[in-house]
Amino acid sequence: MKLFKHKNVQQLASLLFGAVAILLFFSTQAFAASQAHIDSGDTAWMIVATALVMLMTPAGLALFYGGMSRSKNMLNTITMSFVAYCLASIIWILWGYSLAFGPDLSGIIGSSSNFFMNGIGVKSVSGTIPTYVFVMFQMTFAAITIALVSGSIVGRMRFSSWILFSVLWLTFIYSPIAHWVWGGGWLSKLGVLDFAGGTVVHINAGVTGLIIALFLGKRKGYGKIAMMPSSITLTALGAVLLWFGWFGFNAGSELAADGLSGSAFLVTNTAAATAGLVWMLIEQIRSGKPTLLGLSSGAVAGLVAITPAAGFVNPMGSIVIGTGAGIIGYLGVTLVKNKFGYDDSLDAFGVHGLCGIWGALATGLLADPAVGGAAGLFYGNPKQLLIQFIAVIAVITFDVIMTIIIIKIVSLFGSIRVAPADETEGLDSTIHGERAFEI
Amino acid sequence: MKLFKHKNVQQLASLLFGAVAILLFFSTQAFAASQAHIDSGDTAWMIVATALVMLMTPAGLALFYGGMSRSKNMLNTITMSFVAYCLASIIWILWGYSLAFGPDLSGIIGSSSNFFMNGIGVKSVSGTIPTYVFVMFQMTFAAITIALVSGSIVGRMRFSSWILFSVLWLTFIYSPIAHWVWGGGWLSKLGVLDFAGGTVVHINAGVTGLIIALFLGKRKGYGKIAMMPSSITLTALGAVLLWFGWFGFNAGSELAADGLSGSAFLVTNTAAATAGLVWMLIEQIRSGKPTLLGLSSGAVAGLVAITPAAGFVNPMGSIVIGTGAGIIGYLGVTLVKNKFGYDDSLDAFGVHGLCGIWGALATGLLADPAVGGAAGLFYGNPKQLLIQFIAVIAVITFDVIMTIIIIKIVSLFGSIRVAPADETEGLDSTIHGERAFEI
Amino acid sequence: MKLFKHKNVQQLASLLFGAVAILLFFSTQAFAASQAHIDSGDTAWMIVATALVMLMTPAGLALFYGGMSRSKNMLNTITMSFVAYCLASIIWILWGYSLAFGPDLSGIIGSSSNFFMNGIGVKSVSGTIPTYVFVMFQMTFAAITIALVSGSIVGRMRFSSWILFSVLWLTFIYSPIAHWVWGGGWLSKLGVLDFAGGTVVHINAGVTGLIIALFLGKRKGYGKIAMMPSSITLTALGAVLLWFGWFGFNAGSELAADGLSGSAFLVTNTAAATAGLVWMLIEQIRSGKPTLLGLSSGAVAGLVAITPAAGFVNPMGSIVIGTGAGIIGYLGVTLVKNKFGYDDSLDAFGVHGLCGIWGALATGLLADPAVGGAAGLFYGNPKQLLIQFIAVIAVITFDVIMTIIIIKIVSLFGSIRVAPADETEGLDSTIHGERAFEI
Amino acid sequence: MKKIEAIIKPFKLDDVKDGLRGLGVSGMTVSEVKGYGRQKGHTEIYRGAEYSIDFIPKVKLEVVVKDEDVEKIVETILENAQTGKIGDGKIFITSLDSTIRIRTKETGNEAI
Amino acid sequence: MKKIEAIIKPFKLDDVKDGLRGLGVSGMTVSEVKGYGRQKGHTEIYRGAEYSIDFIPKVKLEVVVKDEDVEKIVETILENAQTGKIGDGKIFITSLDSTIRIRTKETGNEAI
Amino acid sequence: MKKIEAIIKPFKLDDVKDGLRGLGVSGMTVSEVKGYGRQKGHTEIYRGAEYSIDFIPKVKLEVVVKDEDVEKIVETILENAQTGKIGDGKIFITSLDSTIRIRTKETGNEAI
Ligand SMILES: Nc1ncnc2c1ncn2[C@@H]1O[C@H](COP(=O)(O)OP(=O)(O)O)[C@@H](O)[C@H]1O
Ligand SMILES: Nc1ncnc2c1ncn2[C@@H]1O[C@H](COP(=O)(O)OP(=O)(O)O)[C@@H](O)[C@H]1O
Ligand SMILES: Nc1ncnc2c1ncn2[C@@H]1O[C@H](COP(=O)(O)OP(=O)(O)O)[C@@H](O)[C@H]1O
């Protein structure tokens, strides 16, 4: 992973900052509030959907990951998600939203028009909902995406490095990609289908997770000592809260309470249930022990895979997607990880990366025009699969390059890995000075 | 419980399958999508209500039951609810919904018209909401009903038997009963009042639980060794999540966001609070120790009892129902259970069965025409009580017979009880190979 | 604290009861149902908002407080919140709602017109939502307010005293103050800005907490022995559930799903995130250990402070409020508490009292007329700050006096503090006969 | 005075306790331990990672008894703790110099 | 060298520790145990099922000391652990063959 | 027969176990304890309240061995448990009167 020497890093960094600075301050045109009308039903739904997605990060993911990490690192794991949510909350309204959803600059990034919520007020409307609600909804997506990354690197990353990494990542990776796909950028012009974030959220988080896990190296004793999950009960609760929140994530991505959001709602649930059962069935077959961790992991894998497809596939399509997700997720965390030997600790790549790719491509296969208007390969439109493929490749490439750059920048401020003794003692005590349970 | 010899069972089974097969494939007429209009407010509410009910099963009930079971069986208990939710999710869209809500066949079951969601699309409307949302809403009811059953039999049932049992039960018991009461079947024609599932959900689950508990026998050491709940904290959290979800359950059963759903919302809360306090008060009087488990159990008992009545009684009526539920639930888990000596481990029958009966009858007493249009005995309509009584008896009878048949069928595939040594060691380790906490 | 001798107490009590009795039964005019129309979107939102606020008390606060209390008192701490919710549920529909929102009597209290929900029916409308929903929404505020108080006094109060105290407090303190500010009482006529309860909820709870903590005295061994929180994990989960519920609390206080509720939603989130980060940053600076408890506490402090301001300030204002809340909350629980030496155990005063005051005054500073129509000092309206100040003083004064009176009354029924031996053994075992975890 | 220390299978504790109580043993102290021995631990698989658990939960029972009671107490423990399957555990016996009851400051056999 | 083992009430641990620290005792080891004795356990009722809890939480304190210090240490433990109520616990004293400090490999009195 | 009791740092347990297993030690019993010693505990701050944690988590290892094996076993423990930093722990050795294997009622060296 030593691709860059320090002076290179510095050059790259200045280049990067320069480029973004130019992009950012290029445009200052005022935001023209849409003349549309607020629908109270859609608004009701979208506020709630947003609250549901919010719950996913500091509660759902925090418990899902926290329960899987060792008890000496449980609080650190939770804190990484929690602090990521807080950082995203602020970054988003200061500059992230504008970079992602501000007026398009050459298909690459949004302009700085809406920095500091400039030009947006109580009366601003997006579609049929208040713009502020749209801003919050999109913020919760940014928050969970960076939080997902933390799964790859639990138990060994410096907390201050994580914070700096999160800030840079949200700014220089998440915001542009969100712009490409949802903010009127080049991928959206190309016609990519990503209903709720297969590329923007899951592939993005998974690939970054893998890169940073490779860079950080394995946890001490990885593969040799037993690294028992601190609480499968809390992991399962976390998975259910994720599932619950995902209804807001996927059905909310319709931005209205209508037939399509109802459809996205149903297929989301079906894919999750299918993948959970499939994962558990594979366990039953392979080891005779169907686990709750497997059921939970499978459900999450299914949710990941259906995310890009939620507004495009019919219920039977969602069963196919869920089945694939159960299989791919299972292989991702066992075969693939063991074969390549990296320590993607809680499988951000194995589950989110791989199932995100599967979901993005499956959308290109299974999109049913009777659902969302767009057709996939099986409905006679092979071109869609190609577009999906391009999007996947583009996001992965951008992710790999930019993540390496950001890691290099963060590393300028000191090692991003904690001291070995601290790792052995556990991060809860050495970083936070706290313990998870005293019972 | 040895009512049936093996060959009898086989005869019965073929009869049963035959009968159902005939019913199922009788009708294949196409589903005519209603011409009604989608209301965004109602849709917003119903998506959320459904998500709330979803939360009840793999989170609310899983923790409520999981916390009450011994720590060696905690994960198994949680998994039973979780897997039940997944199974119901799939069965429902494949055939369950159609059996329950498809075009009526002689008042007994729905036709197969909507198997595999056939005839239902993004634009289908039920009342003022998308049909897909209605399907999901009803699915969550099926899911929690079978999950409730698991409370009677924690700590000793084979996991594969539980899965098979769940599949059969949802198909051959839940779907028909849902059809009778809500799908245009004979009880609905008779005029039974069951707003959100006193008969369909609670009596149904409770009676099945009792039968299967009797069949399985008591846990080893029952009554002799201390069977300490693994976590009252998590049980209380589970109870609150149930309560929270129940707002979707009861107020959602109005299928719209209007005055009546507001009323159902209020009485649901009142009955729960009342029953919780009453149960705790009885404990205070009887043993001087008002427990959090009692408060939680009472709240659940109150929620059960108000379920059928939620759209029919006024706030003062809900206090009466809650008071009754606190008393009946308390007696159910102490006096009744001890007297008859069965091991209804977490009281699916004691709480859901008995309070479900109380609620169903109380609806016949207290239904206030100013609320939902229907009058009970106290408002001059004694006939309603009779109808309620008939419904209760019908559901119990059907349940007892069908549950015994299904148990017999499941038993054909091997003992439905785990080996004694596995029971002693605990099911988390022997079935799932996991532990709940490592802290 | 020995301000009153017993006979004085009795005199005061009779005076108090007499006065209230007169107020209560003065008016019996019928409630005229508003002719307004129910909006399904607003209703959908408000039912959900209410459910969210409900979740805050027996789940969010219960875990937040329960996790911070010692493991021997965890269940007692949870039970205090849970039982408070149940009591409020019933008191509110019997008399609390009417005292707070019934027809105004001289600006001081509501009349008894709506005792027992008299005059309110399924068709009653408040604004654009069913009155029953409004009643429930307001009830959840009463519930959490009394539950917040319990944070000051964990680990040493008699359970029966807590119940009696809660009943009296809701009746004689909460209901009048709610009337003053929201029910058309004198403070509302004066033009106080309190969008969602800075005075009514947080100052009110915090001041009462302080008084009762002073009255009860410190926990045994306070300052000498280590009082380890039982579970930071559960505290963090509780904080997130509070945050999640607070969206209903603040955005729901608009009573509609519109632009202003969207704005309140966004600023609520921003203030919470800011305060969480600020609190943690101070910890980092002062001790080098940024804690999850600090992050969680900060988030709650931010939520408290933004509560009165949620419908009046813009996003940048919310960052200011959040920053202040992080600092003030941190100082409240460290400097202030240590300096004065009282044992406000879980900081109901330090966080809710002080940040409530900050929020109430900050509303008078930062209210932006472009948001909610009202201007604060920074927008050229110094008078608003004065009004806010008056409201703060009025609530504090009323609280101090009335809390002392109520404590005196409750004390007539025996010591409100548990026996020393019970305190040492722990309240879970001595009061409830249960244990939180058996794992 | 002797201290009898028995490492037994956790689910046998109740039987052993009842057996000893039947003998009139008035006190004992119990703790949770983990044992490594001929009885092999098991393997747990979490998300594809396989961990072998070498240590098996056991219960350690400590009873201090008069010299003359040692034999019958050991007998009773053996009786009640045996399953005949590997992992039943051990009994270790040591001599004590002295014993004191904290409440009364009694020493020796009175203190047991 | 002697090993003093004291079974005490958990909430007395801090007092005992402070007492011993006052004496200059430089080390001790503590574990959570459950005791059965004259002090009767209590009954817990969960949803109508009554379970009698025979074992009461206790703390076991182990201190290894020089022979000459035994007396005053026992004295201090007695002083600080006594409540006078049943269940105060016991002190057991055994002889050690040897003691080693792992860090330095010192043995005997140096190792304590 | 001797009982070797070692108080060690928790993260050293796996090394020690592997070392002993290498020697052919067929059984041992482990428990979680908390130690007070030269190694100072730390301070935890919860919401401004500062608590000093005197007791540090340690692991207690008990191995019963034949007299002749004591030396090499102690050696192995020392080797594997040493970090050289304060708090490495102690080894205490006591004599046992007798040992019994519950499963077979074997006694003495056969029982180990
Ligand atoms: N040499 C020993 N020293 C200390 N404890 C031992 C020793 N050998 C066995 N044990 C304890 O006894 C338990 C049972 O021993 P094991 O060898 O598994 O079965 P068995 O005693 O039936 O042969 C172990 O789990 C361990 O706790
Ligand atoms: N014979 C014994 N062997 C081992 N431990 C004992 C024995 N007798 C008592 N204990 C321990 O001492 C504790 C206190 O003993 P108990 O009989 O309850 O009170 P007291 O010592 O005040 O008479 C018990 O809980 C148990 O842990
Ligand atoms: N006198 C003693 N009696 C019992 N246990 C002791 C004694 N001294 C030390 N210990 C145990 O050994 C551990 C390590 O001792 P410590 O003094 O911290 O370090 P070191 O042994 O390296 O000098 C302590 O935490 C405690 O558990």
Side-chain angles (χ1 to χ4, degrees), chain B residues 223-304:
Chain B
K224 273 171 283 173
I225 62 171
M227 296 182 166
M228 309 303 288
S230 54
S231 173
I232 300 296
T233 298
L234 294 180
T235 288
L237 176 59
V240 176
L241 291 178
L242 284 172
W243 190 332
F244 177 62
W246 227 294
F247 292 144
F249 204 90
N250 285 4
S253 287
E254 167 64 358
L255 302 173
D258 59 11
L260 190 54
S261 59
S263 175
F265 186 41
L266 181 71
V267 297
T268 297
N269 189 68
T270 308
T274 308
L277 292 174
V278 166
W279 186 307
M280 197 165 178
L281 184 69
I282 301 176
E283 289 181 328
Q284 171 65 44
I285 292 166
R286 288 206 33 181
S287 71
K289 302 268 187 207
T291 69
L292 178 53
L293 180 58
L295 186 59
S296 307
S297 305
V300 171
L303 289 163
V304 169

Side-chain angles (χ1 to χ4, degrees), chain F residues 21-89:
Chain F
R21 195 194 293 191
L23 280 187
V25 168
S26 63
M28 62 193 103
T29 300
V30 153
S31 48
E32 290 174 11
V33 299
K34 285 183 286 181
Y36 171 89
R38 280 171 189 77
Q39 183 190 7
K40 284 297 148 253
H42 58 288
T43 292
E44 295 190 5
I45 306 181
Y46 287 100
R47 274 224 182 154
E50 206 167 323
Y51 304 128
S52 69
I53 308 302
D54 288 330
F55 290 102
I56 298 167
K58 300 277 170 192
V59 155
K60 183 207 274 191
L61 184 82
E62 289 167 279
V63 210
V64 172
V65 300
K66 285 177 251 173
D67 292 351
E68 57 265 38
D69 292 343
V70 169
E71 206 167 329
K72 65 176 186 204
I73 285 178
V74 167
E75 207 51 57
T76 307
I77 295 177
L78 284 173
E79 229 164 69
N80 288 289
Q82 227 182 37
T83 68
K85 280 197 228 117
I86 217 160
D88 274 353

Side-chain angles (χ1 to χ4, degrees), chain B residues 383-414:
Chain B
K383 206 184 127 216
Q384 190 61 49
L385 186 60
L386 183 71
I387 297 174
Q388 298 300 103
F389 192 76
I390 293 171
V392 168
I393 296 300
V395 169
I396 293 177
T397 311
F398 187 71
D399 260 337
V400 170
I401 296 171
M402 291 297 284
T403 300
I404 292 172
I405 296 173
I406 292 178
I407 292 173
K408 291 293 175 184
I409 295 171
V410 175
S411 301
L412 297 179
F413 298 87

